Amino acid sequence: MLQKLLTVIRSGGTFETTVLAARLGTTPELATAMLEHLQRMGHIRPYRTCGYACGGCNLRTECPQTQPGGAMANGMQLFMLADPLPDADETKTGE
Amino acid sequence: MSNCHDTSAQTASPLAIMDVDAPLIALAGQPNMGKSTLFNLLTGLNQHVGNWPGKTVERREGHFDLNGRSVRLVDLPGTYSLTAYSPEEVIAREFILREKPSVVIAVVSAANLERSLYLVAELATLKAPVVVALNMMDVAAQEGIHVDAQVLEAALGLPVVPMTASKAVGVRELLGVVQDILSGKPAPRPLPPEVRADHRKVLDKIETLIIAHVPEPYPHNWVALKLLEGDVEVTRMMHTALPNDVWDVVHDVLRLHDDAFLAVASGRYEWIGRMVRAAVARPRVGQIGMTERLDRRAAHPLWGLFILAGILGLVFWLTFTIGSPIQAWLDEQVVTPLAGLAAGALAGAPFWAQGMVVDGLIGGVGTVLTFLPILVVFFAAFALLEDVGYMARAAYVMDNLMHLMGLHGKSFLPLFLGFGCNVPAIMGTRVIDSWPARLLTILIAPLVPCTARMAVVAFIAPAFFGANAIWVSWGLVLLSLLALVSSGALLNRVIFKGQRSAFIMEMPLYHIPNARTIGLLVWQRSLSFVRKAGTAILAMSLLVWALSYLPGGDLNTSFLARFGQLIEPVGSWMGFDWRLTVALITSFPAKENAIATLGVLFGNSPNVGLANILVASFSNASALSFLVVTMLFIPCMATVAVTKQETNSWRWTLLSVFLLLGISVAAGAAVYHLGVLFGL
């Protein structure tokens, strides 16, 4: 089941846990437990938003998105693959 | 394997020395399952807290009296499994394997068996007798979850005792089961997860190869399973223990089945699924049921988009219906009379001083401040949607759409932040690993309509389009998103070459909004707007006024007019005169400056609000074109600065600026000429 979950995620796209659970024929609670397991195994990682991304931002204290009730603080849990998919291009090409 | 060997000396605490012959009981469980509560309840003050040797992990040991017999109790660190992902997991399993406790009490949560049974699945494969303490029965009951302990016991093949440690309920029954085991009563046979048939053969082969070399006290079947799972500590131990030729064979077998660790874990989750299906009944009504019912539409790839568009329209309707009349009233009844009063009060002052206060300060900043009621309604509507849990669904359906367009999934959340302000959107791209994906997101992020742009729309759209302002605003947001998706899809093909990505969202349940949270959010956002009006907008208003006044005090011959007339030919493509063109350019420091500049430039007419003056001065086609260009124009100075900071490249920053300039001018010109064609 965990293998199937990882295969589904690796096929690419955006997934919601209840939809993932339905595709695996299980409950959202078990799907969530498996996602947490994949996170412990290092296959996926939490998607950290402002707390991490805006570390150097001067507007952080003023930014409405990070305030209580802001879009990123409303209880939505997010995960993404820890490693890019096989065809990902990881080469940084900036100046 | 230093950890393994350390643990042999770990019981040498004062308590352990005192009660060395007493039966040993281990408390195992995941974090936050109530393990420590049970430990405190049983041992009271008879406990000792220290560290596991060589570790910073806390070790708690104590003793208690069980039917006149002293019993040692060790609280193992909270662990999710017995695989060596963390020091806590190594400590817990080494203790069980080396110290051979008489009983292992596995504390699980009745409210979340799916999560807590994984550890039981691993414990059940060890030789130690396991008792399952089905804790938090009260929490499960509150959530309407019914766990049938007898069915679970039969399915697990392990004794299961329902309890609520926080209320000392079920502790006597738990100790009764422990006493039975200590007295030698035969324990039931555990029914652990089976290894899948194809991997069973591999497991048997590994076990045969290693059986003669497994160090004490490790069971060879457990070691074989851990090797198959790719456990780092066990692999290291066996690499040392096995002769080279045997290790090479084992290594080759493991390499051929390097995906077996997933199959083993999968088998455990299938087993958990069966246990839960057999013993747990969850409610399908109430909050969870409501969330599922609502999400059938709100999170649907197609219906979800229609609902999002409808909600967006509703937000605009509310904003214009409630906010715009108040704004118009403030403009006509407060700002205009205030300007008249100030002009009267400063009648004796130098002309420049009167102009600066009346046109620069009141006409510019005062006009922008009249937006506040519009923004309060707008902020409140979005805060309500965020707090109720809808914005997560909006992000989900939009992300689905972006995937269809070939855009990178991870890009959406930074873009989503852009609806508040484009600066955090660009900063938010730091979470994207792939540089081309990150660059693509940075380039298209300014096309997300931010609050400041929406404020300009909220002022101009109702003035020119009356009841149709909702449709105009809705269309403008749609146009911006269309521009974003088209540019993204195009750039994705060129730069990103269609890379796939995956993104998983666990959405919150819908819930009743909290008035305090919404109030706080509206207050913070409004305060931020007022601060901006008192700083960036004030400074720009005074500069625009000074340039419109100098050198001779006549607007038509001022430096600003000369500059405006110089660039007017470009503005005329979009139906702008020099004043609209200048207003657009002065929106660079902050988008609201466009209105502040128009307030300064048109602020000389007495007793008439700015909105009315603008309607009398420009056609609807020009107004619509101005709105389109504002939505797609070069972002504010802060956004450009952060683009430079994040790309560390002037080349990409200038590309972003010129890309947006090109898109906005082309779209503005097209809309203006189409508008004229259709008689607007």
Side-chain angles (χ1 to χ4, degrees), chain B residues 333-347 354 357-358 362 607:
Chain B
Q333 304 299 321
V334 177
V335 174
T336 308
L338 189 69
L341 277 175
L346 295 169
Q354 189 193 63
V357 172
V358 174
I362 300 174
N607 304 322

Side-chain angles (χ1 to χ4, degrees), chain B residues 497-577:
Chain B
K497 309 205 187 301
Q499 182 182 320
R500 294 174 298 134
S501 72
F503 200 42
I504 308 127
M505 294 182 176
E506 190 178 334
M507 296 198 216
L509 296 178
Y510 287 108
H511 58 268
I512 309 257
N514 182 302
R516 193 175 176 279
T517 308
I518 294 173
L520 191 69
L521 198 65
V522 172
W523 167 250
Q524 281 164 340
R525 291 178 182 180
S526 303
L527 197 66
S528 177
F529 171 74
V530 172
R531 277 190 191 139
K532 199 171 169 188
T535 51
I537 295 172
L538 173 66
M540 196 65 196
S541 295
L542 293 177
L543 178 68
V544 168
W545 174 81
L547 291 173
S548 71
Y549 181 79
L550 295 170
D554 178 21
L555 174 66
N556 293 318
T557 57
S558 65
F559 289 137
L560 195 67
R562 286 182 216 169
F563 171 68
Q565 283 151 8
L566 191 70
I567 54 169
E568 193 178 8
V570 179
S572 65
W573 300 346
M574 299 166 278
F576 303 167
D577 69 353

Side-chain angles (χ1 to χ4, degrees), chain A residues 1-3 9 12-17 36-37 41 45 47-48 62 64 67 69 77-79 93-94, chain B residues 85 115 118 266 269-270 386 399 403 413-414 420 431 433 435 501-507 524-525 531:
Chain A
M1 199 183 282
L2 196 67
Q3 210 162 12
I9 296 171
T14 303
F15 307 100
E16 202 273 312
T17 40
E36 287 169 0
H37 192 100
M41 291 171 105
R45 60 184 166 95
Y47 184 100
R48 289 177 292 181
E62 295 295 316
Q67 302 302 325
Q77 270 203 61
L78 304 155
F79 298 98
T93 54
Chain B
Y85 293 131
R115 183 181 290 162
Y118 193 90
S266 287
Y269 278 108
E270 277 155 22
E386 284 172 8
D399 196 38
H403 266 282
L413 269 168
V431 295
D433 308 306
W435 170 245
S501 72
F503 200 42
I504 308 127
M505 294 182 176
E506 190 178 334
M507 296 198 216
Q524 281 164 340
R525 291 178 182 180
R531 277 190 191 139

Side-chain angles (χ1 to χ4, degrees), chain B residues 283-356:
Chain B
R284 303 321 295 171
V285 291
Q287 198 186 20
I288 296 171
M290 184 191 76
T291 294
E292 278 181 13
R293 278 199 301 276
L294 289 174
D295 276 351
R296 266 180 224 144
R297 290 283 178 269
H300 189 274
L302 186 64
W303 290 116
L305 283 171
F306 285 120
I307 290 170
L308 177 61
I311 285 175
L312 207 58
L314 192 66
V315 170
F316 288 133
W317 178 80
L318 272 175
T319 306
F320 296 143
T321 307
I322 303 169
S324 292
I326 304 174
Q327 189 278 329
W329 181 84
L330 284 173
D331 193 24
E332 289 168 19
Q333 304 299 321
V334 177
V335 174
T336 308
L338 189 69
L341 277 175
L346 295 169
F351 186 70
W352 64 265
Q354 189 193 63
M356 189 172 73

Side-chain angles (χ1 to χ4, degrees), chain B residues 57-399:
Chain B
V57 181
E58 188 179 86
R59 175 193 166 108
R60 304 205 316 150
E61 185 174 345
H63 66 91
F64 65 96
D65 189 79
L66 182 62
N67 295 339
R69 187 179 183 189
S70 181
V71 174
R72 288 161 59 204
L73 184 68
V74 173
D75 186 10
L76 296 173
T79 59
Y80 293 93
S81 70
L82 293 181
T83 302
Y85 293 131
S86 69
E88 287 84 356
E89 283 165 333
V90 175
I91 289 170
R93 77 180 190 195
E94 292 299 328
F95 183 87
I96 295 168
L97 289 167
R98 288 185 167 276
E99 300 300 319
K100 298 187 172 57
S102 307
V103 180
V104 176
I105 299 175
V107 185
V108 301
S109 167
N112 197 340
L113 273 180
E114 288 86 351
R115 183 181 290 162
S116 40
L117 279 181
Y118 193 90
L119 181 64
V120 177
E122 292 219 58
L123 287 171
T125 59
L126 297 175
K127 283 180 180 165
V130 177
V131 176
V132 176
L134 187 60
N135 195 22
M136 298 186 182
M137 288 297 283
D138 57 337
V139 179
Q142 277 166 17
E143 293 177 11
I145 301 167
H146 175 71
V147 184
D148 190 326
Q150 285 183 325
V151 172
L152 187 62
E153 183 168 300
L156 290 171
L158 296 170
V160 175
V161 182
M163 63 182 300
T164 301
S166 60
K167 296 174 184 166
V169 173
V171 178
R172 191 185 300 274
E173 290 77 3
L174 176 71
L175 292 179
V177 175
V178 170
Q179 174 63 49
D180 288 347
I181 295 173
L182 292 178
S183 308
K185 186 180 171 185
R189 197 173 66 86
L191 301 167
E194 293 287 327
V195 175
R196 217 170 65 190
D198 52 338
H199 286 108
R200 180 76 250 173
K201 285 179 189 165
V202 183
L203 191 65
D204 290 343
K205 185 173 180 181
I206 294 171
E207 199 175 333
T208 310
L209 284 164
I210 65 169
I211 196 162
H213 307 281
V214 177
E216 281 295 324
Y218 302 99
H220 45 80
N221 57 344
W222 180 84
V223 170
L225 187 62
K226 285 292 157 195
L227 281 173
L228 199 61
E229 282 186 70
D231 186 290
V232 178
E233 294 287 337
V234 171
T235 306
R236 199 180 299 154
M237 176 180 80
M238 292 311 295
H239 190 187
T240 311
L242 290 171
N244 285 342
D245 55 332
V246 180
W247 168 252
D248 289 343
V249 179
V250 170
H251 190 243
D252 286 345
V253 173
L254 293 174
R255 208 172 45 192
L256 273 173
H257 298 88
D258 60 355
D259 64 337
F261 70 99
L262 273 175
V264 174
S266 287
R268 289 186 187 131
Y269 278 108
E270 277 155 22
W271 177 83
I272 292 169
R274 286 198 301 276
M275 301 297 121
V276 171
R277 270 198 302 279
V280 180
R282 285 185 181 275
R284 303 321 295 171
V285 291
Q287 198 186 20
I288 296 171
M290 184 191 76
T291 294
E292 278 181 13
R293 278 199 301 276
L294 289 174
D295 276 351
R296 266 180 224 144
R297 290 283 178 269
H300 189 274
L302 186 64
W303 290 116
L305 283 171
F306 285 120
I307 290 170
L308 177 61
I311 285 175
L312 207 58
L314 192 66
V315 170
F316 288 133
W317 178 80
L318 272 175
T319 306
F320 296 143
T321 307
I322 303 169
S324 292
I326 304 174
Q327 189 278 329
W329 181 84
L330 284 173
D331 193 24
E332 289 168 19
Q333 304 299 321
V334 177
V335 174
T336 308
L338 189 69
L341 277 175
L346 295 169
F351 186 70
W352 64 265
Q354 189 193 63
M356 189 172 73
V357 172
V358 174
D359 298 332
L361 192 66
I362 300 174
V365 178
T367 305
V368 168
L369 279 174
T370 64
F371 291 179
L372 197 57
I374 292 177
L375 291 179
V376 165
V377 178
F378 193 70
F379 292 154
F382 272 96
L384 179 79
L385 292 172
E386 284 172 8
D387 199 43
V388 90
Y390 176 71
M391 290 312 259
R393 277 77 190 174
Y396 177 66
V397 292
M398 282 302 293
D399 196 38

Side-chain angles (χ1 to χ4, degrees), chain A residues 80-92:
Chain A
M80 58 189 192
L81 279 172
D83 301 316
L85 292 166
D87 56 351
D89 178 7
E90 281 297 292
T91 315
K92 182 164 178 169

Side-chain angles (χ1 to χ4, degrees), chain A residues 1-43:
Chain A
M1 199 183 282
L2 196 67
Q3 210 162 12
K4 192 175 169 190
L5 174 63
L6 195 57
T7 307
V8 171
I9 296 171
R10 282 189 168 272
S11 67
T14 303
F15 307 100
E16 202 273 312
T17 40
T18 51
V19 177
L20 271 179
R23 281 179 74 170
L24 297 171
T26 187
T27 61
E29 292 80 13
L30 194 61
T32 304
M34 287 192 286
L35 286 172
E36 287 169 0
H37 192 100
L38 286 177
Q39 188 190 332
R40 286 195 298 278
M41 291 171 105
H43 288 283

